[in-house]
Amino acid sequence: MPETHPEPRPNAASPPHTHPAEKVASALGADAERGLTAAEAATRFAAAGVNRLHEERVTPGWQIFLRQFQDFMIYVLVGAVAIAAWQGDVIEAVAILAILLLNGVLGYLQESRAQSALAALKQLSAPTATVVRDGVEQDLPAEELVPGDIVLLEAGDAIPADGRLLEAAALRVIESALTGESEASLKDAREVSPADAPLGEQIGMVFAGTAVAVGRGRYVVTATGQATQMGRIADLLAGTAEEDTPLQVELDRVGKRIALIVLAIAAIVFAEEALVAFRVLHETGAAAALADPAFRAAVTNGLLVAVSLAVAAIPEGLPAIVTVALSLGVRRMAERPAHRRPRHAVFNVSATTVIFT
């Protein structure tokens, strides 16, 4: 007799879209008609965990507020406040401090509101699913799904987990969140795709984060939570280092330039005033100069003039102006609606000239 080899079973090396639907269901120990038993579902839930993506750590409010002051220009202005207070110019110090606090409050309100809005949107995106268990159709929270569950789909349903289609009747799915394709994709439970087929060409699969446009279907869950395609994307995003926006880089560069120029001018002014002190030092001698009121007055006057010039030259209104302008832009975007936590990202959106899809 010729030697026979068993057909390969779906695994990490041969993903479910490369096998017929019945093979995938069999490999998962799922009954396509009756679904899992309640006991088996509970066991798998304990092993697989909740069917949801790992949530970002919520940034405490005090950290959001302090983050508004992490800017070189802000550091320069804090120095200006200290110098103005040391000079006894209370009005100047209070004015600059008020501008700094206004900048911080506006930035805090913007980021906290956007964070709250995003959290509300996440709550809206937690649907229920129609699942077959013990031969009975029942609506369950999508978070309770496990691999091997049989899920029923109808038009308008949000797909709660990745899976292999068992049945599809004129089923079209909107997969733009994963593939960028604006048109709904036609699905076919009989389709078997190559192992290297991109998501948009895996006709026999459905994925979490997509939605049914028309038709109906039935599928067996193959992946939940962070193991889904959406979860893989979330992992990639989580591993991406956060960088400053071009506007933040430019503002930091401008702030440093202004600070250096102002300090250089202040140094020149102080040097000019100090020449008077050196004349006194030359005429009266070192020991006598230290006790000479004219010498002390010249040094003190030179320092005060230089410091006053530095405080006056620093554009203390720049952070507040930028904050107000960007906050207004974010507010207009929110009315569309769109939400961005970092205010500086608005500049990126407005500067975009070409979008590749």
Side-chain angles (χ1 to χ4, degrees):
M1 293 180 63
E3 185 179 356
T4 59
H5 299 278
E7 292 188 27
R9 293 168 65 86
N11 52 46
S14 57
H17 64 268
T18 63
H19 298 272
E22 58 272 14
K23 293 289 184 184
V24 176
S26 175
L28 290 168
D31 187 322
E33 297 300 325
R34 296 187 55 80
L36 299 174
T37 64
E40 178 63 21
T43 301
R44 297 189 182 194
F45 184 80
V50 179
N51 176 35
R52 65 165 176 249
L53 301 182
H54 297 161
E55 296 186 3
E56 291 183 34
R57 184 178 66 87
V58 178
T59 305
W62 64 270
Q63 287 188 10
I64 296 177
F65 182 72
L66 291 181
R67 192 161 58 198
Q68 311 308 314
F69 300 94
Q70 295 176 357
D71 182 87
F72 184 80
M73 178 59 74
I74 300 297
Y75 301 152
V76 172
L77 292 178
V78 170
V81 170
I83 293 172
W86 173 69
Q87 285 185 285
D89 195 345
V90 179
I91 296 178
E92 180 81 11
V94 170
I96 299 176
L97 186 60
I99 290 173
L100 291 177
L101 290 176
L102 175 62
N103 175 73
V105 170
L106 287 175
Y108 168 78
L109 291 176
Q110 172 55 45
E111 289 200 31
S112 59
R113 284 175 181 173
Q115 187 165 280
S116 299
L118 290 172
L121 290 175
K122 286 182 179 179
Q123 293 296 324
L124 293 175
S125 63
T128 59
T130 302
V131 185
V132 179
R133 286 187 181 173
D134 291 316
V136 179
E137 294 183 14
Q138 50 189 300
D139 291 333
L140 294 176
E143 293 185 348
E144 297 182 10
L145 290 182
V146 296
D149 263 327
I150 304 300
V151 180
L152 306 182
L153 297 175
E154 293 184 354
D157 286 350
I159 296 176
D162 291 2
R164 180 68 168 88
L165 282 169
L166 301 171
E167 300 175 9
L171 182 65
R172 288 184 177 272
V173 178
I174 301 172
E175 297 180 322
S176 56
L178 287 174
T179 66
E181 178 59 54
S182 58
E183 296 292 332
S185 302
L186 179 63
K187 295 295 181 177
D188 188 343
R190 298 166 297 179
E191 185 74 21
V192 175
S193 306
D196 59 352
L199 297 183
E201 297 179 12
Q202 296 179 19
I203 309 301
M205 297 287 294
V206 289
F207 305 101
T210 62
V212 178
V214 294
R216 58 182 179 81
R218 173 193 293 251
Y219 78 96
V220 57
V221 174
T222 58
T224 60
Q226 214 68 18
T228 63
Q229 294 296 330
M230 194 65 75
R232 294 179 183 179
I233 294 175
D235 286 337
L236 290 174
L237 292 175
T240 303
E242 186 173 342
E243 298 180 354
D244 289 338
T245 66
L247 179 60
Q248 287 174 302
V249 173
E250 183 66 18
L251 286 175
D252 187 64
R253 186 180 67 84
V254 170
K256 289 179 180 178
R257 282 191 175 184
I258 290 175
L260 290 175
I261 292 173
V262 167
L263 290 176
I265 294 175
I268 293 173
V269 171
F270 176 72
E272 183 182 357
E273 293 291 331
L275 287 176
V276 177
F278 281 112
R279 291 196 191 99
V280 175
L281 184 66
H282 179 72
E283 293 173 359
T284 62
L290 293 176
D292 193 321
F295 175 80
R296 294 201 304 270
V299 173
T300 304
N301 184 65
L303 180 60
L304 291 177
V305 170
V307 169
S308 298
L309 176 63
V311 172
I314 293 174
E316 61 270 9
L318 180 60
I321 292 172
V322 172
T323 298
V324 171
L326 293 178
S327 296
L328 289 175
V330 171
R331 182 175 181 179
R332 289 169 186 164
M333 288 176 64
E335 291 171 354
R336 298 292 174 167
H339 296 284
R340 289 296 308 172
R341 269 179 288 183
R343 288 171 288 115
H344 294 88
V346 178
F347 177 82
N348 290 22
V349 175
S350 64
T352 301
T353 55
V354 179
I355 298 177
F356 291 94
T357 61

